[in-house]
Amino acid sequence: MLNLQNKTIVFCLPLFFCFFFSPLAFGQGKTEWLNDKVTLRFQEEPMSSVLGKLSEQTGIAILYDEKLAGQKVTGLYKDIKFAEAINRLFSETNKSIQVLKNEKKIIVKTFGAKNFVLALSSKTVAGESSAKERIMTAAELEKMHRQQYKEYKERIADDNEVFEGGITRGKIRVMHEQQEKLYRKRRANDAEEFEDGVTRGEIRVMHEQQEKLYRKRRANDAEEFEDGVTRGEIRVMHEQQEKLYRKRRANDAEEFEDGVTRGEIRVMHEKQKKAYEKRMKDTGRYIAP
């Protein structure tokens, strides 16, 4: 469904649709656009409208849970980073954020989300021809991601690709191999001296001696700590705690605060796992352990 007024496109996709996209924290990689400054004032305004305005200011596409589109939000953002604005808007939801740095798009994944809305700038929306061309099934999206991954693999295997400085990927690879050889050779040179006159070999011997002392100390059960308890007593206490923990975990009759037993939870988790594996098999993404 395409809505040009709210600048949104609805995708009916499963939560696991980003199989080949790597989650990136804000600020990592070539994602300087996450630091673009935004200024926005909104009072009891739908989330869809606010995200549309953010996308309008930055040109960043924002994919988020359709259930949050009508949620009313209030705020005043004055010259803050786009990443901070997004974190503030979704501060009350359990979320993870993926950054598609090559597409200038972020995906805000909230727990249980199934249908996703894409907030776009008007410039992006103007280039959309129809909702039919944008809506994809999980299987189609999976196929596209596999193709993108294949193209990426082919690209990094191309030693003839030229970068900005005129150097090829092959020359960079050879340079890195030479640097690694020099590094390994240097590390093996025990005669190399550092600023204080100590050699690498002397440092290595000192580290070996320190490790021996550390292992010897760890094996001394008679060593006492500040409170008078010995290392041996602490070790015995930890072993007892572990036994109790394992015994408790094996007790399916144990009840939790809501009255459900550990056994019931275990059965529920097993059913959820089977349902998840079936879902992955149906979309061709299941890899047997």
Side-chain angles (χ1 to χ4, degrees):
M1 176 177 67
L2 183 62
N3 187 331
L4 298 184
Q5 289 182 341
N6 293 331
K7 302 182 181 65
T8 59
I9 296 174
V10 177
F11 290 79
C12 298
L13 301 175
L15 187 60
F16 304 99
F17 71 113
C18 293
F19 184 73
F20 280 113
F21 287 146
S22 299
L24 300 174
F26 279 146
Q28 290 182 340
K30 296 181 179 179
T31 51
E32 293 85 358
W33 42 267
L34 290 168
N35 296 321
D36 289 353
K37 296 298 181 66
V38 296
T39 297
L40 203 61
R41 180 195 295 270
F42 45 99
Q43 179 74 32
E44 285 296 301
E45 198 167 333
M47 179 76 81
S48 59
S49 174
V50 175
L51 291 175
K53 291 176 181 178
L54 280 178
S55 183
E56 184 78 34
Q57 287 189 30
T58 61
I60 300 170
I62 308 163
L63 195 66
Y64 65 101
D65 186 356
E66 181 193 16
K67 291 183 293 186
L68 300 177
Q71 178 179 306
K72 298 296 179 65
V73 288
T74 298
L76 173 59
Y77 300 164
K78 186 176 180 181
D79 200 32
I80 66 172
K81 294 178 180 179
F82 170 80
E84 184 182 347
I86 289 295
N87 276 320
R88 286 191 193 181
L89 272 173
F90 291 93
S91 61
E92 296 182 3
T93 58
N94 183 13
K95 66 182 181 301
S96 64
I97 299 177
Q98 287 184 308
V99 178
L100 281 60
K101 58 184 179 181
N102 295 327
E103 300 182 31
K104 203 171 183 182
K105 178 190 295 183
I106 69 165
I107 304 168
V108 184
K109 296 167 64 177
T110 47
F111 182 76
K114 294 181 180 179
N115 301 332
F116 291 84
V117 178
L118 184 60
L120 301 169
S121 67
S122 58
K123 183 181 294 186
T124 308
V125 172
E128 299 293 336
S129 57
S130 71
K132 185 177 180 181
E133 293 176 357
R134 294 290 300 175
I135 296 175
M136 302 177 72
T137 66
E140 289 170 339
L141 194 59
E142 180 67 22
K143 184 179 179 181
M144 184 185 73
H145 290 169
R146 290 184 183 276
Q147 179 62 30
Q148 289 173 336
Y149 183 67
K150 181 182 178 183
E151 290 171 0
Y152 164 73
K153 285 284 201 178
E154 289 173 352
R155 182 181 174 189
I156 62 174
D158 179 16
D159 282 348
N160 295 319
E161 180 181 5
V162 180
F163 294 94
E164 291 179 2
I167 189 171
T168 64
R169 188 185 296 276
K171 288 180 181 177
I172 292 175
R173 180 177 53 76
V174 170
M175 180 180 68
H176 287 172
E177 290 171 354
Q178 292 172 341
Q179 288 173 337
E180 185 180 7
K181 285 180 182 178
L182 288 172
Y183 166 71
R184 291 185 179 279
K185 184 178 180 181
R186 183 181 175 188
R187 276 196 63 187
N189 179 19
D190 282 348
E192 179 183 9
E193 286 191 7
F194 295 95
E195 292 179 3
D196 54 1
V198 67
T199 65
R200 188 184 296 275
E202 291 170 338
I203 292 175
R204 180 177 53 76
V205 170
M206 179 182 68
H207 287 171
E208 290 171 354
Q209 291 172 342
Q210 288 173 336
E211 185 181 6
K212 286 180 181 179
L213 288 172
Y214 167 72
R215 292 184 179 280
K216 184 178 179 181
R217 183 182 174 188
R218 277 196 62 190
N220 179 19
D221 281 349
E223 180 183 8
E224 285 192 8
F225 294 97
E226 291 180 3
D227 55 1
V229 67
T230 65
R231 187 184 297 276
E233 290 169 338
I234 292 174
R235 181 178 53 76
V236 170
M237 179 182 68
H238 287 172
E239 290 172 353
Q240 291 172 341
Q241 289 174 336
E242 185 181 7
K243 286 180 182 178
L244 288 173
Y245 167 71
R246 292 185 179 278
K247 184 178 180 180
R248 183 182 175 187
R249 276 195 63 189
N251 179 19
D252 282 348
E254 180 182 8
E255 284 192 9
F256 294 97
E257 291 179 2
D258 54 1
V260 67
T261 66
R262 188 184 296 275
E264 291 169 338
I265 292 174
R266 180 177 53 76
V267 170
M268 179 182 68
H269 287 172
E270 289 171 354
K271 288 179 180 177
Q272 289 174 335
K273 183 181 177 184
K274 287 180 181 178
Y276 167 72
E277 289 178 352
K278 183 179 184 301
R279 183 179 180 184
M280 297 297 279
K281 286 178 182 177
D282 291 343
T283 56
R285 291 179 289 176
Y286 180 73
I287 300 175

